[in-house]
Amino acid sequence: MPAFNIRTICQTTIFKIALIIIAVALISGLNLWRNHKYSGTLVHTTKVEEKVLGEKVYASGRIELQEKQEAVAQESRILKQLYVKTGERVKAGQLLAVLDCPAEERSLADALAALASEELRYKELVNPSAEDLAIGQAEFEEAKITCDNKRKTWERKEALCATGAISAQEMETARQELLVQEAAFLKAQKSYDILCHGPRAAERQAAEANLSKAQSAVQAAEEELARYTIKAEMNGVILNIEKRPGDMIKAGDIFISIGQPERLQVKVGVSEADAARVKPGQKVLIEAAALPEKIFAGKVSEVAGLARTKEVNNTRQVEVAVGVSVEDKSGRLKPGYSVDLEIISVTAKKRLVIPYEALQENRGKKQVWIYDDGKARLQTVTIGVEGELQLEVTKGLKPGDLLILDPPKQLKNGDKVRRTTTPATFSKDEKHD
């Protein structure tokens, strides 16, 4: 076997290394030549285009009734009678249910009896009947005759006492009887005078006061009883009944709910950043989690004039309350359904748009970099509608302009730039989702 030639091997390795060095030098030279020929910062660009763009504000909430009545037990009572059923339409003032209240019913009956008595007494005093006048006259005449007879008896006994025929005690007894009869006569005379000529001011006021007191007692008893007599306060539909006759209802329990299912609303909180864009009358698209295949229409009905602070996950958020009226003639939306809202703050139409990645702000100015025949040119623009991924430019650009996306920080006006052929990839900015 022939021996290895060390010198030959070394020469071969050196030759290979030399070839590698030459190749590296050629590549470097080629890159230098290419960089010289294609000088400028490598940038991604996009065209300014016209696209359909609008503005939306997003929120979530729950379907509620615009108007509702909830019958709440003020005290623990047994449901005595129920006059309606779930799904039934009722009118304002219609009787719905009665709670057991025997003591209150007795109080009202007593008050009504007392009022009837006072009304009769007042009527007899102010406007007596012919029968009352006849009775009054008879009582007056009887009292007068009796009084005259007592006076004659006393006068006779006084004369007998003077002669000693009777004792002074008998005469005094006759005198006392006369005094009592005179008082009865004066009372009968007064009553008859009132019957004939009407009551005096003091008597009328006293009678009116008693009548008014009796009327107030009846009103108070009716109001107390009304707490246990449940009536509809609005036109609507019985949406829910929690109890049945004989059941005990605890104080504070809601046992009947009334509403108008065709008049629904959603109350949501809109962030302070979006609140300025929301105004009454704006259209709203509504999607219910329970009915994902259908989009419902709505309209902003009110925007609160005061912001509120809300605690969410140990952070404070400032929100403005917004009310949305819901249009649903199908009756498929139910109070309590969770919904997502898209408030159309600006109607969608064709606009000149740019991506957010092309916009930057410098000293309060909105600016973009334009690719202008191999050079970067800084351009101030005016922004309009802000969409999810793009925003409108109302001034400063025209269709077809090439914009530089995510321009390098060191880029200066007039710098040479060259466009890359590799498409840019950007992660979606959270604030534009």
Side-chain angles (χ1 to χ4, degrees), residues 8-51:
T8 302
I9 294 172
C10 292
Q11 287 176 349
T12 303
T13 303
I14 292 170
F15 178 73
K16 290 179 178 179
I17 293 171
L19 287 177
I20 292 171
I21 292 173
I22 292 171
V24 171
L26 287 173
I27 292 171
S28 299
L30 180 61
N31 286 335
L32 288 172
W33 177 77
R34 290 179 66 185
N35 288 337
H36 176 73
K37 183 176 181 181
Y38 303 102
S39 63
T41 303
L42 196 64
V43 295
H44 293 283
T45 60
T46 187
K47 278 187 179 182
V48 176
E49 298 176 315
E50 283 189 338
K51 290 186 178 180

Side-chain angles (χ1 to χ4, degrees), residues 361-378:
E361 188 169 349
N362 183 21
R363 295 180 182 178
K365 292 183 179 180
K366 307 287 186 181
Q367 296 177 323
V368 295
W369 287 95
I370 297 179
Y371 179 88
D372 189 4
D373 194 22
K375 292 185 179 181
R377 177 166 59 85
L378 191 61

